Amino acid sequence: MFVIGERINGMFTDVKKAIESGDEEPIRDLASRQVEAGADALDLNVGPSRGDEVENLVWLAEVAGDETDVPLCLDTAKFEVMSEAIKECDSPVIINSTKAIEEQLEKYVSLASEHDAQLIALTIDQEGVPSDVDSRVQMGATIATKAMEGGLGMEDLYIDPVILPVNVAPKQPQRVLEALRQLTMLSDPAPNFILGLSNVSQGCKERSLLNAGYVTMAVSAGLNAAIMDALDDHLMRAAITADVLMEKQLYCDDYVSAYLRNR
């Protein structure tokens, strides 16, 4: 599974302080530790930090890019911020993200194509996150169609069916799994499928356990990427194990270490 480390986010106090003070060391440390733990890319989100959002996002990209050579997932809901920040990014970029609203999709697909970037698209429209499977699948089809029309290959598209916290939306984990199963049949080749995994346990007590349980279920339904806590060893082991059991990785007795060595 393609793991995007979630930890460089201004919602975390240490990252927020680092951004506002211009202290590179905490960002370098988080970047290197996440990659060492198995992250294939790093999500960068300035969160509620003070200052200019474009400058802050570019600074994060420069620091993380100097420390590692993995792709950087620029995470902002503002198109104007994304379109400016991506110009300054030397590392391979994943755009995070667009909604399944046609005019918005067209802008983001064009931006991704222009900068040879990959794109994450959420199954969210003007009405918000859908509660049912069919709406997620229909939005996924819209996303894939607009991507193909805009010249973005399926290998560069990630569709996110959007998981909600199980403590407030207990029916959603199963509905997202069914949506994943149906979305894998959208096209041949199919796009990639991703989740902001930690959302499933938001506000819950046993977060690591819930995340680990859900990632194994989601991999079996077709998930092949996640924005998640790469520093949670139990979670990473669960994700690697799910890949082995689904024959996405070869088994050996030391398969966890083998996966981390060969990623």
Side-chain angles (χ1 to χ4, degrees):
M1 189 170 69
F2 190 79
V3 174
I4 303 176
E6 69 179 13
R7 190 56 180 76
I8 303 179
N9 189 314
M11 293 296 292
F12 294 101
T13 300
D14 56 345
V15 175
K16 181 175 183 289
K17 288 181 178 178
I19 294 170
E20 293 177 349
S21 65
D23 184 1
E24 295 184 3
E25 189 54 37
I27 306 304
R28 291 184 179 276
D29 177 64
L30 284 168
S32 62
R33 286 199 293 123
Q34 287 183 103
V35 172
E36 288 169 7
D40 302 290
L42 299 174
D43 192 67
L44 307 178
N45 188 322
V46 301
S49 56
R50 295 190 300 269
D52 183 272
E53 189 170 349
V54 173
E55 291 179 3
N56 288 344
L57 188 55
V58 169
W59 179 80
L60 282 180
E62 288 175 346
V63 176
D66 284 345
E67 186 66 25
T68 69
D69 59 1
V70 300
L72 302 178
C73 185
L74 302 184
D75 189 350
T76 174
K78 300 176 182 176
F79 180 79
E80 62 275 15
V81 172
M82 184 70 73
S83 60
E84 289 300 316
I86 198 171
K87 297 175 186 176
E88 307 298 326
C89 194
D90 294 328
S91 301
V93 170
I94 303 168
I95 294 173
N96 186 15
S97 57
T98 179
K99 296 178 182 178
I101 299 170
E102 291 197 17
E103 58 270 24
Q104 189 177 126
L105 269 170
E106 290 172 357
K107 291 195 304 182
Y108 276 91
V109 167
S110 176
L111 185 67
S113 297
E114 178 185 351
H115 292 278
D116 294 320
Q118 295 185 306
L119 177 65
I120 296 173
L122 313 174
T123 58
I124 299 175
D125 62 8
Q126 296 92 335
E127 304 300 319
V129 180
S131 62
D132 63 309
V133 173
D134 289 346
S135 295
R136 282 184 168 91
V137 175
Q138 289 169 8
M139 289 185 209
T142 297
I143 291 166
T145 299
K146 287 296 180 182
M148 288 187 283
E149 290 175 351
L152 189 68
M154 291 296 97
E155 71 277 6
D156 291 323
L157 177 65
Y158 292 83
I159 295 179
D160 184 343
V162 188
I163 185 62
L164 298 173
V166 67
N167 59 344
V168 297
K171 295 184 183 298
Q172 289 305 300
Q174 282 292 334
R175 290 176 180 173
V176 167
L177 294 179
E178 181 55 32
L180 279 169
R181 294 184 188 101
Q182 294 187 31
L183 285 165
T184 59
M185 297 183 284
L186 270 181
S187 62
D188 186 15
N192 300 292
F193 299 102
I194 191 168
L195 286 173
L197 184 70
S198 296
N199 288 342
V200 74
S201 65
Q202 188 70 41
C204 300
K205 182 178 179 181
E206 297 286 355
R207 298 204 66 186
S208 178
L209 183 59
L210 286 165
N211 292 342
Y214 198 63
V215 77
T216 59
M217 298 167 70
V219 167
S220 72
L223 189 76
N224 58 3
I227 301 172
M228 62 189 235
D229 185 3
L231 300 179
D232 182 338
D233 184 62
H234 178 64
L235 175 59
M236 288 296 294
R237 287 171 176 268
I240 295 166
T241 300
D243 272 357
V244 168
L245 293 175
M246 291 301 296
E247 246 186 324
K248 296 179 180 181
Q249 301 289 336
L250 289 175
Y251 175 81
C252 68
D253 285 346
D254 198 15
Y255 65 87
V256 174
S257 296
Y259 176 91
L260 294 174
R261 283 196 305 269
N262 297 323
R263 44 174 286 280

